[in-house]
Amino acid sequence: MDSINPPHYKKGKVECIDYIQQQLGQHFPYYLEGQIIRYIHRNRYKDSNIEDLNKAKWYINKLITYYEELWQLTYM
């Protein structure tokens, strides 16, 4: 089982993260940054800190992808 992206995140026609992005629009990066801060902060208090660091990494990668796609739309 994928603990970072469990199957219930993909139920229905729209994945949860895509729905959040749709609803937040240009504010979506702030949500991603908040999630990164959340997982970085709480990893030190848990026995399964690697899992939280991997979750932070997932959100960092999502933020990078967001800005790469924005750059392509803007400059290409």
Side-chain angles (χ1 to χ4, degrees), residues 7-16:
H8 65 270
Y9 284 9
K10 297 174 183 145
K11 293 285 185 191
K13 295 181 181 181
V14 178
E15 188 173 345
C16 184

Side-chain angles (χ1 to χ4, degrees), residues 22-61:
Q22 174 189 322
Q23 295 303 310
L24 296 179
Q26 67 183 17
H27 303 292
F28 182 60
Y30 301 123
Y31 168 78
L32 297 174
E33 291 171 13
Q35 293 296 80
I36 293 163
I37 292 167
R38 169 188 176 192
Y39 287 114
I40 293 292
H41 171 75
R42 62 184 234 175
N43 89 86
R44 68 189 82 160
Y45 303 112
K46 298 175 75 180
D47 291 335
S48 60
N49 64 333
I50 298 298
E51 183 176 327
D52 274 4
L53 291 172
N54 279 322
K55 288 179 181 181
K57 182 169 67 171
W58 187 91
Y59 282 102
I60 289 169
N61 289 334

Side-chain angles (χ1 to χ4, degrees), residues 51-75:
E51 183 176 327
D52 274 4
L53 291 172
N54 279 322
K55 288 179 181 181
K57 182 169 67 171
W58 187 91
Y59 282 102
I60 289 169
N61 289 334
K62 190 76 172 168
L63 186 59
I64 290 168
T65 299
Y66 175 85
Y67 282 121
E68 286 174 342
E69 289 172 358
L70 183 63
W71 187 87
Q72 287 178 355
L73 288 172
T74 305
Y75 298 106

